[in-house]
Amino acid sequence: MKAIFTTALGLLSAAQALPAARSASASTSGTRFTIDGKTGYFAGTNSYWISFLTNDADVDQTLDHISSSGLKILRVWGFSDVNATPTDGKVWFQLLSASGSQINTGADGLQRLDAVVKSAEQRGVKLIIPLVNYWDDYGGMNAYVAAFGGTRESWFTNAAAQEQFKKYVEAVVTRYASSSAVFAWELANEPRCKGCSTDVIYQWATEISAYIRSLDSRHMITLGDEGFGLPDDTTYPYGYSEGVDFVKNLGIKDLDFGTIHMYPDSWGVPHTFGPDWIKHHAAACKAAGKPCLLEEYGYNGNCDLQKPWQQASLALASEGMAGDLFWQWGETFSSGPTHNDGNTVFYASELAQCLVTDHVAEVEGSY
């Protein structure tokens, strides 16, 4: 029988799921990060799929390879929202319904994230865990919309959706609040509010970050936005049409650092756009006294185009930039390779030599 509980029962047992009494080992130090007592610039990657692996050996293999490659930060999905219980064995974390939502703490639920957290703890890898997706992959805000009405734009102010979101946040945050593996809680993956006042996301982020802080005072918190909304240029990513004001959001008390994503192709700008995008955000972070993390970047598996972005970020290590995480990590299991979206960097590949091995050496050489 699946261990599926109502929200109330799930919250009651969540804090008992993992061993307690460990303090956080990642923090900010001015505009830099400190991990396990070392302050500086850190390299890392993204793996959305690791949270949904059903074989612990595959989880351990992935974390072994990430750790041995010298990467310190891994961003993983902390959400999988559905509107109907899957019957195909799919991993899901939360069932959303106006008649009663459920948080799944069973073997096909948060126990899969437990395995990632435990493996990361054992290997000294630090996790960024977003709590909802703007996009429809793994449910996203539209899964809440399907249950509680409205639109993605009204999700931020939809009382019923936000009440359930807070219940889910509490379940996940309290479950891992004592884990040394948590680098930061992330409010959302790439939150946008198209056509909205930037006050909508600002006010939501202020409220939710304060709520997370009340649940877990040890770990860092970040927004997870792409970095839209800067006064330095007139191109689309610098504008405010997506309801995001990077500088204003940096001022939120309970957000510890800023995040930047970078996909020139998707944004209709040339790949040479990258270094200035990084420089302008670094300046904003330095002015705010908080670190900036280049949290996602990718360009069709091309090292020649991405290497200058890594170098531009690292060159600003004392001027606001504190790390970078390429999108995305790839593994080959006995069952086959993980998803290749065109930006995947597979372990031990020629591309990994350039974007991982060589980059880690440059980072370590900068100390």
Side-chain angles (χ1 to χ4, degrees):
M1 179 177 177
K2 293 180 179 178
I4 302 169
F5 302 90
T6 62
T7 297
L9 290 177
L11 294 180
L12 184 63
S13 62
Q16 302 170 355
L18 290 177
R22 290 196 181 184
S23 60
S25 54
S27 61
T28 62
S29 180
T31 58
R32 293 192 173 194
F33 293 127
T34 297
I35 296 179
D36 294 333
K38 181 178 181 180
T39 299
Y41 185 103
F42 297 93
T45 186
N46 289 262
S47 173
Y48 75 86
W49 44 262
I50 195 173
S51 304
F52 314 115
L53 295 176
T54 55
N55 184 340
D56 287 357
D58 291 343
V59 173
D60 290 343
Q61 174 185 312
T62 304
L63 268 299
D64 276 339
H65 289 163
I66 289 172
S67 176
S68 66
S69 297
L71 300 175
K72 291 297 296 182
I73 306 171
L74 175 64
R75 185 164 171 261
V76 306
W77 281 180
F79 53 80
S80 182
D81 301 311
V82 299
N83 296 115
T85 305
T87 58
D88 58 359
K90 173 186 174 181
V91 173
W92 61 280
F93 297 162
Q94 180 177 217
L95 172 67
L96 293 166
S97 171
S99 61
S101 299
Q102 296 176 321
I103 294 172
N104 181 6
T105 60
D108 59 355
L110 287 172
Q111 288 181 31
R112 299 317 313 148
L113 191 55
D114 291 350
V116 176
V117 172
K118 179 181 177 181
S119 187
E121 284 179 347
Q122 294 170 342
R123 292 158 179 81
V125 175
K126 310 304 175 184
L127 305 175
I128 296 177
I129 305 179
L131 297 164
V132 69
N133 201 3
Y134 170 78
W135 307 102
D136 293 346
D137 304 281
Y138 297 92
M141 293 178 186
N142 271 336
Y144 287 83
V145 169
F148 304 112
T151 64
R152 278 194 299 192
E153 286 69 38
S154 66
W155 179 86
F156 298 95
T157 55
N158 182 313
Q162 290 305 307
E163 180 182 4
Q164 183 56 38
F165 178 58
K166 282 186 174 181
K167 290 176 180 177
Y168 183 70
V169 167
E170 182 178 2
V172 175
V173 170
T174 57
R175 193 176 184 89
Y176 308 116
S178 62
S179 174
S180 62
V182 176
F183 183 81
W185 300 112
E186 189 162 277
L187 274 54
N189 173 53
E190 300 187 336
R192 300 181 180 187
C193 191
K194 193 172 184 65
C196 304
S197 163
T198 58
D199 287 340
V200 173
I201 286 181
Y202 175 83
Q203 291 170 2
W204 171 79
T206 299
E207 178 183 353
I208 299 300
S209 59
Y211 180 61
I212 294 174
R213 186 75 72 202
S214 75
L215 299 171
D216 177 7
S217 61
R218 299 180 181 91
H219 293 110
M220 294 187 289
I221 305 169
T222 193
L223 178 53
D225 61 307
E226 295 150 282
F228 294 154
L230 275 178
D232 302 278
D233 203 324
T234 58
T235 55
Y236 159 70
Y238 284 88
Y240 302 88
S241 63
E242 301 292 353
V244 180
D245 184 329
F246 182 79
V247 175
K248 182 162 69 174
N249 293 337
L250 270 181
I252 296 174
K253 176 175 67 72
D254 289 308
L255 295 183
D256 296 289
F257 60 92
T259 57
I260 316 167
H261 295 188
M262 190 161 59
Y263 295 101
D265 267 4
S266 299
W267 296 346
V269 294
H271 63 83
T272 52
F273 155 98
D276 278 347
W277 178 248
I278 294 167
K279 180 180 70 174
H280 293 147
H281 284 85
C285 281
K286 184 178 180 181
K290 296 181 178 181
C292 259
L293 177 66
L294 179 56
E295 187 181 62
E296 281 192 34
Y297 60 93
Y299 201 99
N300 300 322
N302 188 314
C303 184
D304 290 339
L305 297 182
Q306 295 179 76
K307 194 68 175 177
W309 303 342
Q310 291 182 331
Q311 292 170 336
S313 184
L314 180 57
L316 293 167
S318 61
E319 299 295 324
M321 295 306 301
D324 67 85
L325 319 180
F326 66 85
W327 181 280
Q328 65 168 328
W329 186 265
E331 280 287 334
T332 302
F333 302 125
S334 58
S335 58
T338 57
H339 177 229
N340 185 355
D341 63 357
N343 292 322
T344 304
V345 180
F346 282 92
Y347 173 68
S349 65
E350 182 178 345
L351 186 59
Q353 176 66 42
C354 174
L355 291 179
V356 182
T357 307
D358 293 349
H359 181 47
V360 167
E362 291 170 353
V363 169
E364 292 178 348
S366 68
Y367 289 105

